[in-house]
Amino acid sequence: NDTLYVFGGRNESTFFKDGFKVKDGETTPTVLKDLPLELYGASGFVYDGNGYVAGGFISSGIPNKTIYKYNVSSNTWSIVGYLKTGKGFMGTYVSASEAVYFFGGALSSDSSTQTDEIECFDFLTNKTSVLDITLNSAKESVKVALYGSALYIIGGYNVNDGYSDG
């Protein structure tokens, strides 16, 4: 709707689990229930009117596998599932078929290794599977967009090839 939700993150020396929201036209954010742990590089998305945060890295740099649900109505967090592989900086696409897809990602917090895997989390079963298809190369920070009936995976970073422009 007209509300931006923000959770977690980091700057040069500090890691965050803070949560807040800002409604369009407001100048002061509303404080929300913090993430269950300090987390950065996670993928955030919306499904069923609630917020979700998946993957990312905890403050020690360890990759996170957890998929958290933020219940907007009750201001609470719960665990709904797990990724097959802990990683951060994944491309994300929520499909109309009650599933979310995660594309690539960093396997290490220093971006020294990436994956080409595509994982699918099914909201009906709360199970994650790895698809038989992969990205054309291992990369993190890809952007995903649906245009017509085609899904486009754009850009990204790979430690060997640098940033992609295609």
Side-chain angles (χ1 to χ4, degrees):
N1 295 333
D2 62 350
T3 305
L4 172 68
Y5 290 83
V6 179
F7 295 98
R10 70 176 272 199
N11 62 23
E12 292 293 319
S13 60
T14 306
F15 298 87
F16 304 99
K17 60 181 179 179
D18 312 49
F20 64 89
K21 69 178 179 178
V22 179
K23 290 184 81 68
D24 191 26
E26 293 181 349
T27 57
T28 305
T30 301
V31 176
L32 302 172
K33 175 103 173 153
D34 288 349
L35 270 165
L37 69 165
E38 295 171 337
L39 198 58
Y40 70 99
S43 294
F45 55 95
V46 174
Y47 175 77
D48 69 6
N50 294 294
Y52 290 81
V53 174
F57 297 95
I58 62 174
S59 58
S60 65
I62 295 172
N64 177 43
K65 290 183 173 184
T66 310
I67 302 171
Y68 295 99
K69 175 181 179 178
Y70 174 72
N71 185 306
V72 173
S73 299
S74 63
N75 191 28
T76 57
W77 287 97
S78 60
I79 295 173
V80 295
Y82 298 91
L83 298 167
K84 293 289 186 181
T85 305
K87 57 191 166 239
F89 303 105
M90 303 171 288
T92 306
Y93 173 72
V94 180
S95 77
S97 62
E98 301 184 2
V100 60
Y101 294 86
F102 302 103
F103 297 85
L107 299 173
S108 57
S109 61
D110 64 358
S111 294
S112 62
T113 53
Q114 290 81 29
T115 181
D116 63 356
E117 286 184 339
I118 302 171
E119 292 191 32
C120 174
F121 177 75
D122 184 321
F123 287 104
L124 298 177
T125 64
N126 289 349
K127 302 285 184 208
T128 304
S129 59
V130 177
L131 301 186
D132 291 335
I133 60 171
T134 61
L135 298 175
N136 64 348
S137 65
K139 54 182 84 174
E140 65 184 77
S141 301
V142 298
K143 302 304 175 213
V144 182
L146 180 68
Y147 183 72
S149 62
L151 192 64
Y152 292 86
I153 299 142
I154 305 160
Y157 173 78
N158 174 284
V159 68
N160 298 317
D161 301 325
Y163 290 96
S164 172
D165 59 2

